[in-house]
């Protein structure tokens, strides 16, 4: 045996020996006390918790009073159990999320029963979840101090596949008109417990109901289609403990750091505190469920850094809550940092994480926002979100499209409000993120959505100093009464735009012109086509349209041909060129006139 292994085993043995010295078993058969669930005070204000001791033998943490009863799974076939346990979930680590969700439901059910019945027999009020890992014996234990189960409940809930005790509990709860907060119950489908068999050779469940006088029971199965259940004579704390005997290829789930990362990823915001080897790991609050006025800027910064993995601060913060037509809670952040080339690329994921009842469903919920809003960060939580059986994927439905539309409209409206509130701050934001807005207009097919996004665009204007950008709404507000279109001119710079003969022609009419300098801006405005029932037209196309109306010569310019001379010239040209030309048009060229003036001066 290597020196490292010797030291490791020595440490575990000495720790176990010290714990046993501090414990006095209360059962008559004290020779079995090393198999008992013992109570150990921990360094925080709570009632002592129960812990399982590691042992190389199968940990009969308690002593059975009679022989075990063997049952077959009642509902479906062995093949269905195999599908649920082996094929339903895409990632093995999901089983941690599912078992913690079940534990949290057990705690919430206990709270409901206490509130509903006013039962004073439940003397302690601790509602906590404890996780113990043992990488020596390759086991993982998840324990709650919740409602527990009687024998019949264990047979019904654990021995029947796809029977959700939580769903049945909610159905009973809804019959009580005074019941509230049923949304805190997570379970829906009754299959989450069986995810433990993805990683386990066998699973033990030790449970005792909160009901007075009910004994404890141990439920055991290897997932092959049958299970055993037996009563226990030892004193067991109220609640349920699930011990997974991990397969050799799943040994990473017996490592403390691995479990800690999984808990923080999926279950960091469940209502109950979660302890791993007596250390609490879920310290962040689910801010999206709280009153916005009660959240400080520092708390927002800490939460933003958790959900984004960035170290800057949020530039804008939006907290959104609706209950009808759907239940939706959202906490949205706009980052302070300037997006890099990887953020701008269309392959980047949307930065919104989807939760349901504070449990992570998808870290990157691409269905909930259009691609152009992928710079947005934050969380969305909905009890109504349609999930598939494994609670990993969203079902394609009208509800998802409705959530997407609600979120998109709320974010665009929020940004419009911020632009009015602080024009300078918004302009700085716009310079960093304008490419996303332009992409949204080009990629969106619906004209209404295009115009909503277009309200976020900003342009240089012929009536403003360079750099003082305006919106399309501002342009329309100050249009001249006879003006029918919104005019823009594309050019490499403002100087060249202002010196353009096309601009001078529009300027003569007193119309305002928007200057655009990027090569893609002209394509963008052509895609937008109109805004607030006003056509977007380039000044070049406007002048071409004007010249097609007639061949009228601008009067009052002594350097130009007269109308009669122009008509005579036109007829002569048509005769000389014959079939080689189709028509002749006269265009008043301000640029040529301006050059001529300079040459003559």
């Amino acid at each position: 045996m290597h020196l490292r292994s010797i030291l490791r085993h020595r440490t575990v043995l000495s720790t176990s020996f010290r714990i046993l010295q501090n414990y006095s078993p209360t059962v008559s058969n004290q020779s079995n006390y090393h198999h008992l669930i013992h109570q150990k005070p921990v360094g925080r204000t709570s009632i002592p918790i129960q812990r399982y001791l590691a042992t190389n033998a199968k940990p009969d943490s308690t002593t059975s009073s009679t022989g075990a009863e063997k049952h077959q799974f009642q509902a479906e076939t062995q093949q269905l159990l195999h599908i649920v346990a082996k094929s339903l979930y895409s990632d093995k680590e999901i089983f941690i999320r599912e078992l913690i969700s079940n534990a949290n439901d057990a705690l919430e059910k206990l709270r409901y029963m206490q509130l509903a019945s006013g039962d004073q027999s439940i003397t302690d009020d601790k509602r906590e979840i404890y996780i113990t890992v043992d990488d020596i014996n390759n086991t993982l234990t998840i324990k709650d101090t919740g409602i527990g189960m009687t024998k019949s409940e264990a047979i019904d809930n654990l021995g029947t596949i796809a029977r959700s005790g939580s769903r049945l509990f909610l159905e009973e709860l809804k019959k009580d008109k005074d019941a509230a907060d049923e949304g805190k119950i997570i379970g829906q489908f009754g299959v989450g417990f069986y995810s433990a068999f993805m990683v386990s050779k066998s699973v033990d469940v030790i449970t005792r109901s909160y009901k007075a006088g009910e004994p404890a029971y141990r439920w055991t199965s290897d997932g092959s289609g049958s299970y055993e259940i037996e009563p226990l004579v030892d004193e067991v704390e109220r609640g349920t403990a699930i011990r997974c005997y991990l397969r050799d290829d799943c040994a990473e789930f017996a490592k403390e750091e691995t479990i800690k990362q999984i808990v923080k990823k999926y279950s960091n915001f469940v209502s109950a505190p979660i302890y791993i080897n007596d250390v609490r790991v879920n310290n962040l609050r689910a801010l999206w469920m709280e009153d916005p006025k009660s959240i400080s800027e520092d708390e927002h910064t800490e939460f933003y850094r958790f959900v984004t993995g960035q170290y800057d601060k949020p530039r804008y913060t939006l907290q959104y809550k609706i209950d009808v037509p759907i239940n939706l809670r959202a906490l949205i952040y706009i980052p302070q940092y300037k997006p890099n080339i990887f953020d701008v690329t269309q392959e980047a994921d949307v930065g919104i994480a989807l939760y349901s009842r504070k449990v992570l469903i998808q870290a990157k919920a691409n269905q909930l926002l259009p691609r152009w809003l992928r710079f947005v960060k934050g969380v969305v939580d909905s009890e109504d979100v349609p999930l598939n059986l494994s609670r990993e994927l969203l079902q394609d439905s009208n509800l998802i499209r409705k959530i997407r539309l609600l979120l998109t409209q709320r974010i665009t409206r929020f940004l419009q409000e911020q632009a009015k509130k602080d024009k300078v701050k918004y302009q700085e934001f716009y310079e960093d993120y304008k490419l996303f807005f332009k992409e949204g207009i080009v990629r969106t097919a619906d004209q209404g959505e295009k115009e909503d996004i277009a309200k976020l665009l900003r342009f240089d204007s012929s009536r403003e100093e360079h750099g003082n950008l305006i919106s399309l709404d501002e342009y329309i507000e100050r249009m001249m009464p006879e003006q029918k279109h919104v005019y823009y001119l594309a050019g490499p710079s403002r100087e060249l735009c202002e010196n353009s003969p096309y601009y001078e022609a529009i300027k003569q009419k007193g119309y305002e012109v928007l200057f655009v300098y990027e090569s893609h801006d002209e394509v963008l405005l052509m895609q937008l086509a109109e805004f607030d029932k006003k056509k977007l037209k380039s000044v070049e196309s406007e002048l071409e349209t004007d010249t097609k109306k007639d061949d009228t010569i601008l009067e009052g310019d002594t350097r130009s041909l007269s109308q009669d001379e122009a008509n005579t010239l036109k007829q002569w040209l048509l005769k000389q060129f014959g079939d080689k030309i189709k028509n002749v048009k006269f265009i008043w060229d301000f640029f040529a006139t301006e050059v001529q003036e300079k040459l003559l001066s």
Side-chain angles (χ1 to χ4, degrees):
M1 182 179 293
H2 294 295
L3 178 60
R4 182 179 298 176
S5 299
I6 295 173
L7 292 175
R8 187 180 185 185
H9 283 76
R10 181 179 178 182
T11 301
V12 172
L13 291 172
S14 62
T15 302
S16 300
F17 181 72
R18 185 171 64 255
I19 293 173
L20 291 173
Q21 282 182 319
N22 295 329
Y23 174 70
S24 299
T26 57
V27 296
S28 57
N29 185 8
Q30 297 200 10
S31 63
N32 291 325
Y33 74 93
H34 60 284
H35 293 308
L36 291 177
I37 304 173
H38 79 287
Q39 294 183 340
K40 174 191 173 185
V42 296
R44 61 179 183 276
T45 305
S46 69
I47 300 172
I49 67 173
Q50 293 181 342
R51 293 276 306 280
Y52 289 92
L53 286 178
T55 170
N56 288 322
K58 188 174 182 178
D60 287 337
S61 299
T62 48
T63 306
S64 61
S65 60
T66 60
E69 300 177 10
K70 188 169 184 178
H71 298 262
Q72 296 295 319
F73 287 108
Q74 296 176 5
E76 286 72 28
T77 64
Q78 181 176 344
Q79 183 180 7
L80 177 58
L81 176 60
H82 178 81
I83 292 173
V84 172
K86 310 293 184 182
S87 307
L88 182 62
Y89 298 93
S90 62
D91 198 332
K92 291 179 180 179
E93 67 181 21
I94 293 291
F95 89 97
I96 300 290
R97 182 195 72 179
E98 296 297 289
L99 296 184
I100 290 177
S101 296
N102 288 348
N104 189 75
D105 284 352
L107 299 172
E108 289 298 327
K109 292 173 190 176
L110 179 66
R111 184 173 70 89
Y112 290 135
M113 298 306 296
Q114 287 177 295
L115 293 175
S117 63
D119 194 345
Q120 302 298 321
S121 62
I122 303 175
T123 56
D124 71 272
D125 191 39
K126 68 170 181 177
R127 290 190 290 271
E128 299 171 328
I129 299 171
Y130 308 102
I131 301 177
T132 306
V133 293
D134 180 0
D135 59 352
I136 301 298
N137 297 296
N138 219 24
T139 62
L140 169 71
T141 304
I142 298 179
K143 182 185 184 301
D144 65 72
T145 57
I147 197 169
M149 290 179 285
T150 62
K151 178 181 179 181
S152 61
E153 289 170 341
I155 292 175
D156 289 340
N157 295 332
L158 302 182
T160 306
I161 304 172
R163 182 183 189 274
S164 173
S166 293
R167 188 176 64 243
L168 295 174
F169 181 83
L170 284 174
E171 290 173 0
E172 292 296 321
L173 194 64
K174 288 178 181 177
K175 296 177 183 178
D176 182 2
K177 295 181 180 180
D178 297 326
D181 292 334
E182 62 267 21
K184 293 183 178 180
I185 299 294
I186 300 169
Q188 300 180 56
F189 304 117
V191 298
F193 166 73
Y194 301 97
S195 63
F197 290 103
M198 287 193 298
V199 298
S200 305
K201 294 179 291 188
S202 64
V203 176
D204 279 0
V205 179
I206 294 180
T207 184
R208 184 176 72 80
S209 174
Y210 77 103
K211 298 176 182 177
E214 283 289 340
Y217 291 90
R218 175 169 51 225
W219 182 100
T220 304
S221 177
D222 61 3
S224 62
S226 64
Y227 64 92
E228 294 181 356
I229 188 168
E230 57 184 334
L232 304 172
V233 298
D234 297 331
E235 184 66 24
V236 176
E237 191 179 26
R238 180 199 71 230
T240 300
I242 300 174
R243 169 167 286 181
C244 300
Y245 298 91
L246 301 170
R247 301 199 311 263
D248 292 339
D249 61 337
C250 298
E252 70 268 22
F253 298 114
K255 299 184 182 300
E256 181 176 340
E257 190 59 33
T258 300
I259 300 303
K260 186 182 298 182
Q261 293 302 319
I262 295 173
V263 170
K264 287 186 175 182
K265 178 179 178 181
Y266 291 102
S267 307
N268 207 36
F269 302 106
V270 297
S271 303
I274 302 174
Y275 296 91
I276 298 179
N277 291 347
D278 293 335
V279 177
R280 182 168 180 175
V281 293
N282 62 332
N283 295 304
L284 280 178
R285 309 196 321 269
L287 297 187
W288 66 88
M289 305 295 287
E290 300 185 8
D291 182 358
K293 297 179 180 178
S294 68
I295 306 172
S296 68
E297 183 178 343
D298 289 341
E299 288 174 324
H300 272 303
T301 299
E302 181 184 10
F303 187 83
Y304 163 80
R305 290 174 177 174
F306 171 79
V307 298
T308 64
Q310 303 292 337
Y311 293 96
D312 61 329
K313 294 183 178 181
R315 190 189 307 239
Y316 290 119
T317 299
L318 167 64
Q319 193 161 350
Y320 180 45
K321 170 185 175 182
I322 58 170
D323 294 305
V324 290
I326 57 177
N327 175 279
L328 191 67
R329 304 288 185 273
L331 184 52
I332 304 298
Y333 296 110
I334 308 296
Q336 183 69 46
Y337 70 86
K338 185 176 181 178
N340 56 42
I341 190 171
F342 300 105
D343 297 317
V344 175
T345 178
Q346 295 182 7
E347 283 72 32
D349 288 321
V350 166
I352 291 294
L354 173 65
Y355 287 75
S356 181
R357 297 174 174 89
K358 297 191 286 188
V359 175
L360 180 67
I361 304 301
Q362 286 185 345
K364 303 292 183 182
N366 290 318
Q367 302 98 316
L368 295 186
L369 284 178
R371 298 288 302 160
W372 69 271
L373 279 175
R374 59 187 175 277
F375 65 90
V376 170
K377 311 297 181 183
V379 300
V380 171
D381 193 317
S382 176
E383 299 172 10
D384 300 328
V385 67
L387 304 175
N388 70 347
L389 192 59
S390 66
R391 296 199 304 144
E392 293 179 277
L393 302 173
L394 300 180
Q395 306 282 31
D396 187 16
S397 70
N398 291 328
L399 184 58
I400 294 300
R401 288 188 286 273
K402 185 177 291 186
I403 292 175
R404 177 189 175 106
L405 180 61
L406 285 171
L407 289 173
T408 303
Q409 290 177 339
R410 185 64 188 95
I411 292 171
T412 53
R413 190 167 70 250
F414 169 76
L415 291 174
Q416 292 167 28
E417 294 166 356
Q418 295 304 309
K420 294 178 181 178
K421 183 178 179 181
D422 190 334
K423 190 173 182 179
V424 175
K425 181 179 178 180
Y426 179 81
Q427 189 162 318
E428 293 175 354
F429 158 72
Y430 177 76
E431 289 299 327
D432 290 341
Y433 288 90
K434 60 185 176 183
L435 283 178
F436 294 99
F437 303 150
K438 296 175 181 180
E439 177 192 333
I441 292 173
V442 173
R443 291 171 65 94
T444 301
D446 182 77
Q447 182 62 28
E449 291 183 33
K450 286 178 182 285
E451 294 192 27
D452 283 341
I453 303 171
K455 293 177 181 179
L456 303 175
L457 298 177
R458 294 295 182 267
F459 301 92
D460 221 351
S461 167
S462 60
R463 292 187 185 175
E464 300 287 344
E465 293 183 4
H466 180 55
N468 188 16
L469 307 183
I470 68 167
S471 65
L472 288 172
D473 284 323
E474 290 175 297
Y475 181 99
I476 289 176
E477 286 176 3
R478 56 199 198 190
M479 284 174 61
M480 298 182 68
E482 74 279 5
Q483 185 177 345
K484 297 180 180 180
H485 308 306
V486 175
Y487 295 106
Y488 65 89
L489 178 60
S493 67
R494 183 183 178 105
E495 182 180 3
L496 289 175
C497 287
E498 288 178 333
N499 290 321
S500 167
Y502 300 109
Y503 168 65
E504 290 293 344
I506 292 294
K507 186 179 179 181
Q508 291 288 327
K509 298 181 180 181
Y511 296 161
E512 183 176 13
V513 178
L514 301 176
F515 298 140
V516 293
Y517 311 122
E518 302 291 339
S519 58
H520 54 260
D521 284 341
E522 196 164 12
V523 176
L524 165 74
L525 294 173
M526 290 174 63
Q527 284 283 332
L528 181 58
E530 68 176 50
F531 182 84
D532 194 18
K533 300 180 181 180
K534 302 288 192 300
K535 296 289 185 182
L536 303 181
K537 298 194 69 174
S538 68
V539 295
E540 295 100 320
S541 63
E542 175 67 11
L543 289 179
E544 289 175 3
T545 301
D546 287 345
T547 59
K548 290 178 182 178
K549 293 178 181 177
D550 53 48
D551 291 328
T552 303
I553 298 300
L554 185 66
E555 298 294 339
D557 189 347
T558 58
R559 293 159 299 181
S560 175
L561 295 175
S562 66
Q563 189 66 55
D564 290 339
E565 290 172 333
N567 290 336
T568 301
L569 177 60
K570 178 178 178 179
Q571 295 302 321
W572 182 83
L573 290 172
L574 288 172
K575 183 178 180 179
Q576 291 295 318
F577 288 96
D579 295 337
K580 295 180 180 179
I581 61 173
K582 184 176 182 181
N583 200 2
V584 175
K585 289 286 184 180
F586 294 116
I587 300 174
W588 176 71
D589 193 337
F590 179 89
F591 178 74
T593 304
E594 184 177 353
V595 171
Q596 187 179 33
E597 284 180 350
K598 291 181 179 180
L599 290 173
L600 294 174
S601 62

